[in-house]
Amino acid sequence: MKNNHLKIFTKDSLLLILILSFVSVFPLLILTGCGKSTIPTKEKKWKFYKQIKTGNAKPNGIVYLKGMLWISDTPDNRVLEIDTTGKIIKEFKGFKRPMHISLYKDKIFVSEFLADSLKSIDVNTGKVYSVPFKLKPDAPAGIAVDSCDTAVADFYNHRIILKSNGETITIGKKGHANGELFYPTDAAFSSNLLYVADAYNNRVQVFNKEGKFQKVIGSGDSIKTALGIFVDGKNIFVAGFDNNRVLIYDGQGNLEQKITDSHLSNPSDIFVHGDKMFIANYNNNSVTMFSKD
């Protein structure tokens, strides 16, 4: 009888038992961390964290550096460094309607709407410098800076002035077709592309650094005045000024999240640092902070 029972467990049947055992245990290995799961994790959504009051300052542009917020206070013609409670740390006066600002290394770049000029603030020394440009903009509304390139949103000329590797070109002209702009207000660089807040065309346009049109983002998403833009290499963030929204797109331009939080009040600009997102609210003198934590 013993021999008859042993005959059941041939080499083929033992192999089948081992396979079936592994199949039944494999999901448990994944759940307990003993194996590498191929199940995709769901991307965390941005959620409201807190509201930062900015006193009598109406923030237009915003960046975040070393635990501090920098905002352009457009009506009072100044740039402020504040902490995340809204307390003013430093005040830089004498600007002429500062609009969107940009951060590169330890410098804050400021577009001066009424002076038709660009300036930079050295964070370490507090000194303010002029930023020379071959072509003078007519009411610069935004500036973007990276290692070799600077782009200026030339508001009344309906174009972008791009200085890249020592050469200066213009991108766009007044209009509503692809590649045309209608009062651009902000710009951002990412992955050798230039993203433009085409404000009153209610969309974002993407160009390469030779000025060639690449694509449109957000044209079907009911953006009402695409005033500010932030790009971090993974996502594109757009401030919809006139309908109090922030729209978040993936790198291909697909809408991932639409934020319509009641704390938003004419959002004008966005800055993202890790799992923190700061939104400048022009109308109610505040910065709204969102988090993924």
Side-chain angles (χ1 to χ4, degrees):
M1 292 293 292
K2 280 185 177 181
N3 290 338
N4 289 337
H5 285 295
L6 287 173
K7 286 179 183 178
I8 296 172
F9 298 99
T10 63
K11 286 184 179 181
D12 290 340
S13 61
L14 283 172
L15 179 61
L16 178 61
I17 291 170
L18 287 171
I19 291 171
L20 292 172
S21 299
F22 181 74
V23 168
S24 64
V25 172
F26 183 66
L28 183 61
L29 292 176
I30 291 175
L31 292 172
T32 56
C34 298
K36 290 186 177 180
S37 172
T38 57
I39 300 172
T41 57
K42 190 176 181 180
E43 182 72 18
K44 290 182 180 179
K45 296 292 186 182
W46 292 97
K47 295 181 180 179
F48 172 78
Y49 183 71
K50 70 175 181 177
Q51 194 83 342
I52 303 167
K53 294 294 184 180
T54 57
N56 62 353
K58 284 187 171 295
N60 193 328
I62 188 168
V63 300
Y64 177 84
L65 177 65
K66 298 177 182 177
M68 296 292 172
L69 289 165
W70 290 73
I71 59 173
S72 56
D73 180 9
T74 299
D76 285 339
N77 298 308
R78 58 183 180 163
V79 174
L80 303 175
E81 180 187 10
I82 65 174
D83 65 17
T84 52
T85 69
K87 179 183 177 181
I88 296 176
I89 307 302
K90 292 179 185 176
E91 181 181 28
F92 298 85
K93 296 182 178 181
F95 292 93
K96 294 182 178 179
R97 197 167 178 81
M99 298 289 280
H100 285 105
I101 60 179
S102 179
L103 171 67
Y104 181 67
K105 293 187 176 179
D106 283 350
K107 289 185 173 62
I108 310 295
F109 291 84
V110 184
S111 54
E112 282 191 290
F113 194 81
L114 292 183
D116 297 335
S117 67
L118 308 157
K119 287 189 170 67
S120 68
I121 302 170
D122 189 309
V123 171
N124 298 314
T125 66
K127 292 183 178 180
V128 180
Y129 300 91
S130 293
V131 178
F133 238 73
K134 185 177 179 180
L135 294 176
K136 189 174 182 178
D138 186 0
I143 182 170
V145 180
D146 70 5
S147 57
C148 300
D149 312 294
T150 304
V152 177
D154 191 356
F155 188 76
Y156 284 125
N157 285 324
H158 306 278
R159 65 181 183 177
I160 298 293
I161 302 173
L162 174 64
K163 183 167 69 175
S164 180
N165 294 313
E167 299 292 326
T168 300
I169 64 171
T170 62
I171 300 173
K173 63 178 182 178
K174 185 177 182 179
H176 309 289
N178 290 347
E180 297 177 344
L181 301 170
F182 197 57
Y183 299 104
T185 50
D186 203 6
F189 290 110
S190 182
S191 303
N192 290 316
L193 294 173
L194 174 64
Y195 295 77
V196 177
D198 189 6
Y200 292 94
N201 274 329
N202 305 306
R203 63 187 181 180
V204 171
Q205 290 204 68
V206 187
F207 301 87
N208 65 20
K209 289 185 179 179
E210 287 72 49
K212 294 182 179 178
F213 168 80
Q214 302 296 299
K215 62 182 174 182
V216 167
I217 295 172
S219 60
D221 296 322
S222 301
I223 299 173
K224 196 172 181 181
T225 314
L227 200 69
I229 186 172
F230 182 88
V231 185
D232 65 1
K234 182 181 178 182
N235 292 106
I236 301 111
F237 301 79
V238 185
F241 184 79
D242 282 319
N243 55 359
N244 300 320
R245 301 190 306 170
V246 168
L247 293 93
I248 304 169
Y249 298 87
D250 65 16
Q252 287 70 50
N254 302 306
L255 184 62
E256 285 192 343
Q257 187 175 354
K258 185 188 299 181
I259 297 175
T260 56
D261 191 272
S262 60
H263 294 89
L264 300 183
S265 184
N266 292 130
S268 56
D269 203 8
I270 304 158
F271 193 89
V272 177
H273 179 79
D275 282 346
K276 299 180 179 69
M277 175 168 57
F278 302 93
I279 304 168
N281 294 298
Y282 187 81
N283 188 50
N284 68 359
N285 299 32
S286 71
V287 172
T288 306
M289 182 177 171
F290 282 75
S291 176
K292 281 189 173 182
D293 292 339

